[in-house]
Amino acid sequence: EMSEMSERSKQNVAHGLAWSYYVGYLKIVLPRMKKSMEEFCRANPNLLACSKTWKLHILIPLSCDVYDDLEKADSNIQYVTDLTETTLARAGTKKRVYKHSLYAIRDEEHQLWHCAVEYATPLQSLYAMSQDECAAFSREERLEQAKLFYRTLEEILKGSKECADAYRLIAYEEPEEAETHFLSREIMWHLQQEHREEIAVLEGNHLHTPSTALDSAELNLQISVSDLPQPLRTDGF
């Protein structure tokens, strides 16, 4: 009965991870993001000319394949510096530090675009669970959970006034054949889109540019209600 209740109310891994990520991290750091970017821009006025990019770009690979070093993931991504740290007392840890790294992304014309970017860390947990026999978590279940994680996080953030306009979710499926600069091109698409959005606002126009990236509408089509991820164990344990 408890298992059936969990299935009906969607109390599964992805929902828990999305809410934990939001409450325990994003809700803390995103409201401070604009101020941190403004401080950096005052000291480095030429690096972040487009204010629409003054947000945290969160990478969500549906494969859950997360690199600890973005520079090793793609040589067109180069670390620049860290933004201003936020220090808080948190769950018994005094002076816990939250910080974000600024990267330079090289486009196909060898121009550098700067932004704060990082992976959604809960995806590491999904990947680790799929590698651990105790979790009984298959690769297919991991993919479905990753999709649901993205959809849930997107819904949570859309309803958060504190985090409005301080983030951009970048969900993507990696190509079957490895591409050297796939990740930098994916990030670049979003940065260029933000740049066009800012120009449209300045000119008083409404931008209608179709997205080539994954969005929740696409994911809704890919996952039917009956195909939603199930709890890890349905055998009574």
Side-chain angles (χ1 to χ4, degrees):
E1 291 178 356
M2 289 299 295
S3 178
E4 289 177 359
M5 289 174 62
S6 294
E7 290 174 11
R8 286 197 298 269
S9 60
K10 301 180 183 179
Q11 293 176 357
N12 51 35
V13 174
H15 279 83
L17 287 176
W19 273 104
S20 178
Y21 185 47
Y22 168 69
V23 174
Y25 180 64
L26 295 181
K27 193 175 181 180
I28 297 171
V29 302
L30 289 182
R32 298 170 171 81
M33 196 67 197
K34 286 287 185 181
K35 182 179 179 181
S36 180
M37 298 295 275
E38 288 173 357
E39 291 176 355
F40 180 83
C41 286
R42 282 196 293 269
N44 306 271
N46 297 323
L47 292 186
L48 291 167
C50 176
S51 62
K52 277 286 185 177
T53 64
W54 295 4
K55 57 188 65 174
L56 183 61
H57 297 76
I58 303 171
L59 302 175
I60 305 179
L62 298 184
S63 66
C64 298
D65 193 3
V66 172
Y67 287 84
D68 290 325
D69 190 338
L70 280 170
E71 293 176 304
K72 291 182 179 178
D74 190 321
S75 60
N76 278 348
I77 303 175
Q78 301 173 354
Y79 169 78
V80 177
T81 188
D82 290 331
L83 298 176
T84 305
E85 297 179 350
T86 295
T87 304
L88 300 171
R90 186 74 174 171
T93 301
K94 293 184 178 295
K95 297 182 180 180
R96 182 169 181 177
V97 175
Y98 298 86
K99 66 179 180 180
H100 310 287
S101 296
L102 189 77
Y103 288 88
I105 315 298
R106 189 182 304 277
D107 65 18
E108 294 179 352
E109 298 177 355
H110 301 289
Q111 294 181 336
L112 295 179
W113 298 60
H114 295 81
C115 69
V117 59
E118 63 189 45
Y119 285 100
T121 52
L123 296 179
Q124 289 181 310
S125 298
L126 285 177
Y127 187 85
M129 291 174 72
S130 70
Q131 304 297 308
D132 193 319
E133 293 182 1
C134 295
F137 209 44
S138 70
R139 180 180 299 179
E140 291 74 19
E141 287 173 321
R142 183 185 72 198
L143 175 60
E144 297 304 307
Q145 291 283 350
K147 293 176 181 178
L148 189 55
F149 171 81
Y150 168 64
R151 288 168 51 192
T152 305
L153 183 61
E154 182 184 47
E155 184 178 349
I156 294 170
L157 287 171
K158 281 183 177 179
S160 174
K161 294 181 180 179
E162 303 100 317
C163 300
D165 203 34
Y167 69 92
R168 191 175 185 101
L169 302 181
I170 304 178
Y172 58 90
E173 290 186 282
E174 296 175 338
E176 293 183 3
E177 296 184 4
E179 295 183 19
T180 306
H181 300 302
F182 169 80
L183 184 56
S184 59
R185 286 199 303 270
E186 193 72 21
I187 297 172
M188 274 305 312
W189 186 92
H190 286 270
L191 294 178
Q192 290 168 346
Q193 179 74 359
E194 289 167 338
H195 183 68
R196 287 192 290 268
E197 289 170 1
E198 178 160 294
I199 292 175
V201 170
L202 293 175
E203 294 179 350
N205 299 323
H206 189 66
L207 189 64
H208 292 283
T209 304
S211 171
T212 60
L214 289 175
D215 57 25
S216 59
E218 289 179 286
L219 294 182
N220 282 329
L221 292 175
Q222 294 174 21
I223 308 176
S224 66
V225 174
S226 62
D227 291 332
L228 285 172
Q230 305 299 312
L232 295 184
R233 300 295 293 271
T234 57
D235 55 3
F237 291 93

